[in-house]
Amino acid sequence: MQTRTSKRDRGNGGGRLRIGDDWNAIAIIALSQSNPLKAVAEFVENCIDAQARDIVVTRGKEHGEHYLAISDDGEGVPRNPDGIPDFRYVATHICDSVKRRLKAEGASSLQGEFGIGLLSFWTVGEELTLSCAGADGKTYQMRMRRNDPGYQVSTRHALFAKRGTELKIKPLLAGLRQMSGEKIQWYLAAELRDRIRQSGAKIRVIDRHARKEYQVEPRVFAGRLLHALPPVSAPYGDVYLELYLAEPQPTHSVALYRSGTRVLANLAELDAFAVAPWNTGYLQGIVDAAFLNLTPGTRLGVIHDERYDALCAALVPVAAHLAGIIEEQRHAEEERASRDVLQAIRRALQEALLALPAEEYDWFDVRARVSSAAPTASRATDADTPTGEALETDRSETEPAQKRFFEFAGPLFTVRVSPAACTVSVSLSRRLSALARDRARHRVEESVTFRWEIIEGGGRLENAEGEIVTFHAPAEPGLVRVRVTATQGEVVCGGEGMLTITDSLLPEAKESLVSRHGLPDYTFERAPGALWRSRYDLERNVIVVNNGHRDFVYASRSRALKLRYLARLFAKELVLRNFPGQPAESLLERMIELSLYTEENLR
């Protein structure tokens, strides 16, 4: 008894690891692949390793069972000394891939190394049949079933032996019967992008359910290819970079590859790269490190060993270089966005002025500039001239004699009344203008007829068939709605205006108390914690916006919200300058008015 104990003790001192249950180990390996599309990619990659030039992936249904077949014209399964495909070696040397030995002998174009690729059919279907021709002209096949430790090799009747290998899996698992050919194409295009490019293999996906055929083309990235990146070299080999700078999108990512095959769709999934610039959404492309060690089961992960650590260290200078490029891109985007916002607000304000009485908003110096020969006459008629008409006059004076092609007006698209809202004293008159525009907001002047009518309220219209009419107010106060209908051929458009008839008007100053300016620009001044949102710099004709204010931060979540916020700040500052000395309630009324007509045209 003591002897047995001592032997057991000596045995407990150390030894060599062994697999206690071979079949249980095989089942664990077979089920370790969690992504069936990855399994399909591995089957296709085996074809590329076999030097195939034409690979066909077929999805279909026969005898009531869904199947997936992959055929190629490659070298096929290695043969035994008798010239017969050595299926026995394939089935009995799991985890002992012949490719590992070939790679050790110098074959660099092979990807597989674990000898477990075929087992991943367990995550795709119930039965795998692998067929290949022998040297004797006969076709041999090996059959394996899911959850079955056995395999069978037999001959298959065929009219003639085909070059290459055919793999068929059927029936497919219940959850994979909706796996479309298009989805397989997309996955292979990204997963095997560089392997397809380097090998020149032609891959087709035939979906017999959808009756469609897809050509697998290597994925093309959007954006600008970044040149002159710092060279990336590690003690274990070089790292290949192909990076593109694009508009920031949450879906943009840099993928990690090994020897042309994708390992991770997003490099930022790794903790070391879950930082800028890799997770900013500005970059697309690939980082290919052939020396990485992968997790054998899924080949979707990287072993965090000294090779991975070498990759992280090698990419540090690249990250710093990319951060500088992205910062320049952001600065350019901010400048472009500021210009776009300013243009949008200016366009909206100018459109608002077409709908508002010119004499009430005389601070906006966007109406016609008269010639130096008759300044007095211009001032005398300025208050009675519709804003839209004056704007068009100004445009005609400053535009070149020869219009460019895109400046000519297209077909009639819309018509507006200018001003769209105004106040008229009882028994007085007011001129109204019809502004006919095409889709690009160009003034339409040819072959357009107009018809004016009062659809609500009293008064009368003079020259009701003209582009410009005179409205004569009734003797009693009230609201009057007028409508103009513009017709050009078969196109008919309508617009309405609202006139408020009152029995008294506040006396208006002959000249504004502030100097007349054009529409101002805007700039930012960061003052977090300060209560002011904006202020007007009279000398520079600039509206200063506090981009540190909590309201600006809140509005910056979306472009539309930011535009509306800035437009309201413009309205606030312009109303304060245009109506000095007015009571608070009057200023608020004016701000609501200007904001309403501005935001209608804000886009």
Side-chain angles (χ1 to χ4, degrees), residues 288-602:
D288 195 318
F291 53 81
L292 291 177
N293 288 321
L294 309 183
T295 52
T298 62
R299 290 173 63 185
L300 288 173
V302 179
I303 297 176
H304 291 213
D305 54 8
E306 67 282 354
R307 292 174 177 261
Y308 171 75
D309 188 58
L311 173 66
C312 296
L315 290 179
V316 169
V318 177
H321 182 77
L322 292 173
I325 295 176
I326 291 175
E327 184 60 32
E328 293 177 1
Q329 177 78 357
R330 281 177 173 162
H331 183 67
E333 287 176 357
E334 289 175 358
E335 289 186 349
R336 184 170 62 250
S338 295
R339 289 195 301 268
D340 293 344
V341 167
L342 180 59
Q343 291 175 1
I345 293 176
R346 281 189 164 181
R347 284 195 301 266
L349 284 170
Q350 288 172 350
E351 289 295 324
L353 292 179
L354 298 179
L356 294 171
E359 69 275 11
E360 296 181 8
Y361 287 87
D362 59 352
W363 181 78
F364 300 105
D365 192 15
V366 295
R367 298 189 300 277
R369 289 289 188 182
V370 297
S371 63
S372 58
T376 308
S378 172
R379 283 202 187 96
T381 59
D382 186 52
D384 194 39
T385 301
T387 308
E389 181 185 6
L391 274 173
E392 296 301 330
T393 304
D394 179 54
R395 230 174 256 135
S396 65
E397 291 176 358
T398 57
E399 69 181 5
Q402 181 68 34
K403 287 185 177 181
R404 288 173 289 185
F405 174 77
F406 56 82
E407 292 178 330
F408 284 90
L412 177 67
F413 181 71
T414 184
V415 64
R416 297 186 62 181
V417 176
S418 175
C422 63
T423 304
V424 184
S425 183
V426 294
S427 303
L428 295 183
S429 62
R430 171 78 196 207
R431 287 201 297 173
L432 304 175
S433 177
L435 302 179
R437 304 285 185 85
D438 66 0
R439 189 181 293 271
R441 297 184 180 274
H442 295 139
R443 185 74 176 269
V444 179
E445 300 175 346
E446 297 182 1
S447 305
V448 181
T449 60
F450 301 94
R451 182 171 58 83
W452 293 80
E453 58 182 328
I454 297 175
I455 56 178
E456 182 180 335
R460 65 183 179 88
L461 294 171
E462 182 182 334
N463 190 29
E465 303 296 327
E467 180 180 349
I468 300 174
V469 300
T470 302
F471 170 75
H472 296 275
E476 296 293 332
L479 292 177
V480 178
R481 288 173 58 204
V482 297
R483 178 177 178 82
V484 61
T485 302
T487 305
Q488 186 187 53
E490 298 181 355
V491 181
V492 180
C493 300
E496 293 186 5
M498 180 74 71
L499 297 95
T500 303
I501 312 302
T502 181
D503 60 353
S504 64
L505 290 174
L506 291 175
E508 296 184 4
K510 296 298 182 181
E511 292 291 337
S512 176
L513 297 182
V514 295
S515 59
R516 295 161 65 89
H517 288 67
L519 290 177
D521 295 334
Y522 79 98
T523 187
F524 291 130
E525 179 179 326
R526 186 168 183 80
L531 297 180
W532 63 275
R533 295 173 177 81
S534 65
R535 56 189 173 211
Y536 177 67
D537 188 331
L538 181 61
E539 294 182 0
R540 295 186 296 164
N541 192 29
V542 169
I543 293 178
V544 182
V545 177
N546 181 4
N547 62 348
H549 196 281
R550 62 178 181 272
D551 291 348
F552 182 89
V553 175
Y554 178 82
S556 298
R557 297 180 304 165
S558 70
R559 182 179 183 274
L561 189 60
K562 182 179 178 181
L563 268 177
R564 289 199 300 272
Y565 178 74
L566 290 175
R568 289 168 186 172
L569 294 182
F570 264 71
K572 180 196 76 168
E573 298 298 337
L574 299 182
V575 165
L576 286 174
R577 288 292 166 182
N578 196 45
F579 301 100
Q582 294 288 328
E585 60 270 16
S586 176
L587 294 177
L588 289 174
E589 296 289 349
R590 292 295 186 181
M591 180 175 174
I592 292 174
E593 180 181 56
L594 183 56
S595 297
L596 172 66
Y597 289 96
T598 301
E599 293 182 16
E600 177 189 5
N601 301 283
L602 201 60

Side-chain angles (χ1 to χ4, degrees), residues 70 72 76-77 85 87 128-133 139-143 154 156 162-168:
I70 301 174
D72 68 71
V77 177
F87 290 122
L128 176 142
T129 302
L130 187 64
S131 304
C132 187
T139 300
Y140 296 84
Q141 64 181 17
M142 177 181 69
R143 182 171 297 158
S154 61
R156 191 182 74 182
K162 295 191 300 182
R163 173 181 169 84
T165 307
E166 181 183 35
L167 179 149
K168 178 178 284 189

Side-chain angles (χ1 to χ4, degrees), residues 131-358:
S131 304
C132 187
D136 55 4
K138 296 181 181 180
T139 300
Y140 296 84
Q141 64 181 17
M142 177 181 69
R143 182 171 297 158
M144 294 189 292
R145 292 192 59 82
R146 191 169 183 265
N147 296 320
D148 187 344
Y151 71 96
Q152 297 83 37
V153 178
S154 61
T155 58
R156 191 182 74 182
H157 297 291
L159 293 177
F160 56 90
K162 295 191 300 182
R163 173 181 169 84
T165 307
E166 181 183 35
L167 179 149
K168 178 178 284 189
I169 303 173
K170 67 173 188 179
L172 300 181
L173 300 182
L176 298 182
R177 292 172 185 169
Q178 302 303 319
M179 183 171 59
S180 66
E182 187 176 24
K183 185 179 293 186
I184 295 174
Q185 175 211 21
W186 289 342
Y187 190 83
L188 294 178
E191 187 75 7
L192 304 178
R193 176 180 181 268
D194 277 15
R195 292 232 63 195
I196 297 172
R197 293 171 60 182
Q198 294 166 6
S199 66
K202 180 181 178 182
I203 304 176
R204 293 176 293 145
V205 179
I206 300 175
D207 191 336
R208 290 180 176 164
H209 290 292
R211 298 181 181 179
K212 292 183 179 180
E213 180 174 325
Y214 306 94
Q215 184 74 32
V216 179
E217 300 289 347
R219 178 186 174 185
V220 178
F221 294 104
R224 171 170 62 91
L225 178 62
L226 298 178
H227 300 280
L229 293 174
V232 183
S233 181
Y236 306 97
D238 294 335
V239 179
Y240 173 74
L241 298 179
E242 185 178 335
L243 301 177
Y244 297 80
L245 183 66
E247 294 293 331
Q249 296 290 340
T251 56
H252 289 171
S253 62
V254 177
L256 177 64
Y257 282 68
R258 192 189 77 160
S259 299
T261 301
R262 189 171 65 178
V263 178
L264 289 174
N266 190 350
L267 184 66
E269 294 178 22
L270 300 172
D271 292 341
F273 300 98
V275 295
W278 310 109
N279 63 351
T280 58
Y282 277 90
L283 298 175
Q284 288 193 95
I286 66 172
V287 172
D288 195 318
F291 53 81
L292 291 177
N293 288 321
L294 309 183
T295 52
T298 62
R299 290 173 63 185
L300 288 173
V302 179
I303 297 176
H304 291 213
D305 54 8
E306 67 282 354
R307 292 174 177 261
Y308 171 75
D309 188 58
L311 173 66
C312 296
L315 290 179
V316 169
V318 177
H321 182 77
L322 292 173
I325 295 176
I326 291 175
E327 184 60 32
E328 293 177 1
Q329 177 78 357
R330 281 177 173 162
H331 183 67
E333 287 176 357
E334 289 175 358
E335 289 186 349
R336 184 170 62 250
S338 295
R339 289 195 301 268
D340 293 344
V341 167
L342 180 59
Q343 291 175 1
I345 293 176
R346 281 189 164 181
R347 284 195 301 266
L349 284 170
Q350 288 172 350
E351 289 295 324
L353 292 179
L354 298 179
L356 294 171

Side-chain angles (χ1 to χ4, degrees), residues 4-123:
R4 290 179 181 175
T5 303
S6 61
K7 289 181 178 180
R8 187 180 296 113
D9 290 340
R10 286 195 300 272
N12 287 337
R16 188 170 183 178
L17 297 176
R18 295 178 56 191
I19 294 178
D21 187 333
D22 292 345
W23 172 242
N24 186 48
I26 291 174
I28 291 172
I29 294 171
L31 294 173
S32 63
Q33 179 56 269
S34 59
N35 187 351
L37 285 172
K38 181 70 173 178
V40 175
E42 289 191 19
F43 299 147
V44 172
E45 199 162 28
N46 285 339
C47 301
I48 296 176
D49 285 343
Q51 307 302 315
R53 306 298 298 175
D54 189 17
I55 304 170
V56 180
V57 180
T58 305
R59 173 183 174 269
K61 187 177 182 181
E62 62 181 10
H63 308 302
E65 293 180 337
H66 296 268
Y67 73 88
L68 184 75
I70 301 174
S71 60
D72 68 71
D73 60 352
E75 297 175 352
V77 177
R79 297 170 180 172
N80 62 18
D82 297 327
I84 298 174
D86 200 349
F87 290 122
R88 182 177 180 277
Y89 183 93
V90 173
T92 59
H93 284 72
I94 294 172
C95 297
D96 183 18
S97 173
V98 67
K99 296 179 187 178
R100 182 188 292 270
R101 185 177 68 252
L102 294 175
K103 290 172 74 173
E105 295 173 357
S108 59
S109 61
L110 302 179
Q111 184 67 282
E113 59 181 314
F114 302 119
I116 59 176
L118 282 182
L119 289 179
S120 60
F121 87 88
W122 282 33
T123 63

